[in-house]
Amino acid sequence: QSALTQPASVSGSPGQSITISCTGTYNDVGHYPYVSWYQQRPGKAPKLMIYDVTYRPSGVSNRFSGSRSGSTASLTISGLQAEDEADYYCCSYTTSSTRIFGTGTKVTVL
Amino acid sequence: QVQLVQSGAEVKKPGASVKLSCEASGYIFTTEYVHWVRQAPGQGLEWMAIFNPGGGGTNYAQKFQGRITMTSDTSTSTAYIELNSLTSDDTAVYYCARGSRYLDHWGQGVLVTVSS
C-alpha cells in the first residue's frame, strides 16, 4: 500500500495561514474519520497535533485545525509562527486495520 | 506522566536479527496498543505494526509480514519487536508509540544501523 500523498513543502510568512493536504483512497482517508496529524522537529520524535480528523489534544494550540473531504484530509495552521517550522505527517486508519502515513510536508516560515 | 523509553542504538550485519524494547510507564500497559514506526535517514515515517499487550493480538504492514515478531512482558510493562533478515534498507530510527486510532505518546527512537 502506497503512502498517503502530501505536498513536499509548504511555506508562509508569519501570521499567514497555510494548509497541508493529505490524499488517500476509499480504503483509508475516505473510509474512516480516523486521520491524525503529527509534527516532527529535526532529531525529535513526532508529536500528535490532530486526531480523528478535527480534534486537538490538550496543550496543542488552537491555531492548528483539521478537516476532511472525501479521500483528502487537510491540516491548517493559522497565524503562522516561527516555531511551527517542522515536518508534518498525516496518518490514517485503513480497511485492513493497519495504519498508513503520508509522505510528509516540510513547513517553512519565511 | 506517560513515558515510553526505548533501548539503545544497535549495529547489525546483513542477515542478522535485532530485538528492540519499549518500556512503558504512567499508564496501565495492558489497556493500550503499542505501534512500531520507523524512519530511514532523511525519509518519512513508515508504519510497521501494532501489538495489543492485553491480548497479544497483532497486525502488520504487508511488507513486514513474516519478518516481525512482537511480544511483551507485562510484569515490566515492556514491549518488544524483533526484525529478522536485516538488509541495509532496514537502517532507520525505530519508534514505539502508544495508541489505537492515533499515536498519542512516542518513545525517543532508537537507531538501527545495518552494515557489513
Side-chain angles (χ1 to χ4, degrees), chain A residues 37-86:
Chain A
W37 289 89
Y38 302 86
Q39 177 191 69
Q40 186 180 35
R41 294 195 170 101
K44 300 296 186 182
K47 174 188 175 183
L48 177 67
M49 304 301 285
I50 294 287
Y51 67 94
D52 292 352
V53 179
T54 62
Y55 295 90
R56 272 189 315 276
S58 173
V60 172
S61 171
N62 60 8
R63 298 185 298 103
F64 291 84
S65 61
S67 63
R68 182 184 68 140
S69 177
S71 296
T72 297
S74 298
L75 174 72
T76 297
I77 309 175
S78 305
L80 198 63
Q81 299 180 0
E83 67 194 45
D84 300 331
E85 195 160 284

Side-chain angles (χ1 to χ4, degrees), chain A residues 34 36 38 40 44-46 48 51-52 89 96-103, chain B residues 35 37 39 43-47 50 59-60 95 100-104 106-107:
Chain A
Y34 300 147
S36 50
Y38 302 86
Q40 186 180 35
K44 300 296 186 182
L48 177 67
Y51 67 94
D52 292 352
Y89 294 90
S96 302
S97 300
T98 59
R99 315 296 185 271
I100 185 169
F101 280 98
T103 50
Chain B
H35 299 255
V37 176
Q39 186 170 35
Q43 303 300 308
L45 300 174
E46 180 177 30
W47 185 86
I50 186 171
N59 200 2
Y60 309 94
Y95 294 99
S100 178
R101 303 185 308 280
Y102 50 90
L103 288 61
D104 61 359
W106 294 64

Side-chain angles (χ1 to χ4, degrees), chain B residues 25-105:
Chain B
S25 61
Y27 71 98
I28 300 173
F29 178 62
T30 53
T31 63
E32 299 279 354
Y33 291 90
V34 174
H35 299 255
W36 292 91
V37 176
R38 74 180 186 179
Q39 186 170 35
Q43 303 300 308
L45 300 174
E46 180 177 30
W47 185 86
M48 299 176 66
I50 186 171
F51 177 71
N52 180 1
T58 59
N59 200 2
Y60 309 94
Q62 191 171 6
K63 69 178 289 185
F64 297 107
Q65 295 274 359
R67 232 174 29 108
I68 284 180
T69 302
M70 291 185 292
T71 56
S72 68
D73 181 344
T74 55
S75 69
T76 60
S77 298
T78 302
Y80 300 92
I81 186 170
E82 185 169 21
L83 183 62
N84 304 315
S85 304
L86 293 169
T87 72
S88 58
D89 290 343
D90 295 313
T91 294
V93 173
Y94 288 76
Y95 294 99
C96 62
R98 184 191 85 155
S100 178
R101 303 185 308 280
Y102 50 90
L103 288 61
D104 61 359
H105 288 86

